[in-house]
Amino acid sequence: MFYKFQREFQNAIFNCGVYKVQIEEAVEEFEVADNTRKKTYHVTFIPDSHDCFCSCKMFESMGILCRHVLFVIKGKFLTEIPEQHILHRWTKDASKKPIFDFCEDFDDHLELLLERLSAFEEEMKPGKENVEQQSKDKHIELFVGSNIVSGGILPPNKSSNKGSGTGKRKKVIKR
Ligand SMILES: [Zn+2]
């Protein structure tokens, strides 16, 4: 990530230029020409908060500021990147903060989970198949009636689906 940022910074210095500026009291808009991509990007800068947005959406997708925003920041003589644009995951403290915030009754949930898991384990032990099959049968019975197939029903006779070969079929004469 450091090298990606370095590349963006280098490009901000050597390959970007301002094409158009529109400065209002609360918002400053820049059209920044990117020489490497031969395209122009729209950068919005809020002087009060130092919030920056670029139409290339690099910060939104990768979490680092793009060359276009860096170019504008340089032009504003800001000596540091605005802190809202430094994501926690790129800082040295990233590993210190827990990734998940556990809820207060986490221990209770964990205990319940363990209880259910051991019950499940018990159920999966060999010798339980019959009990399981019985409960399965009960479920099937509930929906479609008995699952037991009574004897005496034979499969249907096999019928031949090919011609009899007697030659009795009339031939169609085309005219
Ligand atoms: Zn950009």
Side-chain angles (χ1 to χ4, degrees):
M1 199 43 72
F2 172 76
Y3 290 112
K4 270 185 184 150
F5 181 78
Q6 203 176 38
R7 195 187 60 202
E8 288 308 305
F9 197 72
Q10 273 174 354
N11 277 305
I13 293 166
F14 298 113
N15 288 308
C16 287
V18 167
Y19 171 68
K20 212 165 130 190
V21 188
Q22 193 183 335
I23 295 175
E24 279 168 34
E25 210 174 292
V27 185
E28 298 182 9
E29 314 269 358
F30 299 85
E31 295 291 327
V32 177
D34 184 334
N35 194 36
T36 54
R37 295 176 193 166
K38 306 282 178 224
K39 268 175 98 174
T40 303
Y41 295 90
H42 188 91
V43 176
T44 306
F45 178 74
I46 316 284
D48 281 349
S49 60
H50 291 174
D51 276 324
C52 319
F53 308 96
C54 180
S55 60
C56 79
K57 304 266 180 217
M58 189 173 175
F59 183 73
E60 286 81 354
S61 63
M62 290 175 71
I64 57 170
L65 285 179
C66 63
R67 57 193 74 174
H68 321 113
V69 166
L70 291 172
F71 179 78
V72 170
I73 285 176
K74 188 173 81 78
K76 291 270 132 197
F77 300 112
L78 294 188
T79 51
E80 283 179 4
I81 292 171
E83 60 176 29
Q84 66 270 35
H85 292 294
I86 302 170
L87 295 189
H88 179 76
R89 61 182 158 186
W90 310 135
T91 63
K92 280 181 188 168
D93 297 332
S95 56
K96 289 180 192 163
K97 200 178 167 188
I99 298 169
F100 303 109
D101 278 334
F102 294 120
C103 53
E104 279 174 16
D105 49 358
F106 175 72
D107 285 344
D108 293 339
H109 285 300
L110 192 66
E111 212 160 282
L112 191 71
L113 177 71
L114 283 172
E115 219 167 80
R116 284 185 183 168
L117 279 175
S118 41
F120 179 67
E121 191 188 7
E122 201 63 36
E123 215 170 90
M124 293 308 287
K125 275 182 184 168
K128 293 272 174 181
E129 289 94 345
N130 279 340
V131 179
E132 209 168 89
Q133 187 58 45
Q134 274 172 19
S135 76
K136 219 181 203 179
D137 287 347
K138 269 182 191 168
H139 276 108
I140 294 170
E141 254 180 60
L142 196 72
F143 287 109
V144 291
S146 177
N147 190 30
I148 301 157
V149 179
S150 61
I153 300 171
L154 297 170
N157 289 330
K158 219 176 172 186
S159 64
S160 172
N161 57 358
K162 284 184 180 161
S164 60
T166 55
K168 284 179 182 171
R169 190 182 288 175
K170 284 177 184 171
K171 277 185 182 169
V172 179
I173 301 157
K174 283 184 184 169
R175 291 178 185 176

